[in-house]
Amino acid sequence: MPRLRRWGCQSALLLAAGMANVIDAPAAFAQQAETQEHPLIAAIALAEQSYRTLQQVNDYEATLIKQEVVNGRMLTQRIQLRLKEAPFSVYLRYEEPNPGREILFVKGQNNDQLLAHEATGLSSLVGTVPLPIDSAQVLAENRHVVTDLGMRRMLEMVITQWQLETKFGEIDVKYYPQAKMGNADCEVIESIHPRPRKQFLYHMTRLFIEKQSRLPIRIENYSWPAQAGQPAQLQEEYTYVNVKTNVGLTAADFDQRNSKYSFQ
């Protein structure tokens, strides 16, 4: 578990290392500043550029590291992921916690339910269990439903959020062009709302775009500090590492009868 927790605290260190290179939106985009465009316009343009890159990705394998506040508790998970965009298909194998747990979801199959199989404990004796994606059992450990998984959907939610926020003021946008996440060189976009308003989902959002691949490999969302002077509260963080794109995943990789899996 300590290995996973380190991912949750890295961002501040990574961004601090690049603070000398931080660029305010007006400085980075002088022409836009002259026309007084909303500071999020440039951020959305960068996010949409990354989204166009994702349109060329049909499938991928990756390690997904999740940190989420669910029912008042911070949950951390490390998961091996296989994802195919069409039809939307996901296979998950948990490493920490619940090692060996498997989740399978294919849109349009199994009544659009996910299949779950535990590797240990009494639950493992039950075998494969179909569950509605928004069932209480699923949402007890997840902030989002399974159809929100993946870099493409993650980026869609950020773009939608920022597009809605362009209707309002009270926002500070910064760019960290020389940030790093592990060994990956990244550009980071950070948007901050100084005061809580009903139209703002989060106090702060950070989007990490890997420079070489242009893939969105991390998203962080924070709520407002409990008291003035305190740090913002992490609500959700999704990190994709060891990403291998267009590996040629087929229907067999999302079939519960696959001999490499333990579904029964």
Side-chain angles (χ1 to χ4, degrees):
M1 189 62 66
R3 177 177 58 176
L4 298 186
R5 298 294 295 182
R6 283 202 294 272
W7 282 95
C9 63
Q10 270 189 340
S11 291
L13 299 176
L14 295 172
L15 294 179
M19 281 299 287
N21 297 307
V22 64
I23 303 175
D24 290 326
F29 300 89
Q31 183 177 0
Q32 292 174 352
E34 291 174 4
T35 58
Q36 295 185 344
E37 282 188 341
H38 193 281
L40 275 174
I41 296 299
I44 293 170
L46 286 174
E48 289 179 337
Q49 178 192 73
S50 180
Y51 190 78
R52 288 192 292 272
T53 297
L54 275 175
Q55 296 294 89
Q56 307 303 314
V57 175
N58 300 315
D59 60 67
Y60 55 91
E61 298 177 335
T63 300
L64 169 61
I65 301 168
K66 297 170 54 182
Q67 288 200 99
E68 303 174 302
V69 174
V70 181
N71 298 324
R73 299 182 300 143
M74 176 63 77
L75 303 180
T76 304
Q77 301 171 329
R78 185 182 182 96
I79 304 168
Q80 293 302 314
L81 164 76
R82 288 177 171 173
L83 187 147
K84 190 170 180 287
E85 294 292 353
F88 183 78
S89 308
V90 176
Y91 169 77
L92 307 175
R93 185 177 182 86
Y94 283 60
E95 292 185 349
E96 300 177 43
N98 308 302
R101 171 190 286 175
E102 293 177 296
I103 303 293
L104 186 64
F105 175 81
V106 179
K107 186 174 179 60
Q109 295 185 16
N110 303 306
N111 297 317
D112 273 335
Q113 295 183 318
L114 61 81
L115 302 179
H117 176 263
E118 299 287 353
T120 60
L122 292 177
S123 297
S124 65
L125 301 177
V126 179
T128 300
V129 178
L131 294 169
I133 63 173
D134 59 352
S135 67
Q137 185 174 345
V138 172
L139 295 181
E141 296 185 14
N142 296 279
R143 192 174 174 91
H144 296 276
V145 295
V146 69
T147 49
D148 283 340
L149 274 176
M151 292 184 289
R152 184 179 297 188
R153 179 59 183 151
M154 176 181 74
L155 192 55
E156 286 175 347
M157 289 190 287
V158 172
I159 291 172
T160 299
Q161 172 191 328
W162 282 345
Q163 286 174 336
L164 291 173
E165 291 176 357
T166 60
K167 300 177 181 179
F168 308 100
E170 293 187 331
I171 186 167
D172 183 28
V173 180
K174 288 185 170 63
Y175 300 83
Y176 300 85
Q178 304 300 329
K180 292 185 75 69
M181 194 189 79
N183 294 323
D185 294 322
C186 298
E187 297 176 12
V188 177
I189 309 167
E190 178 183 86
S191 64
I192 299 178
H193 302 289
R195 285 173 290 277
R197 305 291 190 193
K198 64 180 181 179
Q199 62 265 30
F200 300 140
L201 288 176
Y202 302 107
H203 165 55
M204 178 167 62
T205 294
R206 287 180 181 150
L207 172 64
F208 288 65
I209 299 175
E210 187 179 23
K211 284 187 176 181
Q212 183 175 0
S213 67
R214 306 310 299 169
L215 296 176
I217 58 174
R218 187 175 195 164
I219 180 70
E220 304 171 2
N221 284 312
Y222 295 80
S223 64
W224 282 264
Q227 296 181 359
Q230 292 185 349
Q233 304 296 307
L234 179 66
Q235 293 299 300
E236 56 184 28
E237 175 187 279
Y238 308 100
T239 304
Y240 291 82
V241 297
N242 304 321
V243 180
K244 299 177 182 178
T245 59
N246 293 327
V247 295
L249 297 176
T250 68
D253 294 294
F254 305 97
D255 190 332
Q256 69 180 104
R257 296 167 295 183
N258 190 315
S259 61
K260 297 180 181 179
Y261 304 155
S262 300
F263 297 103
Q264 301 173 9

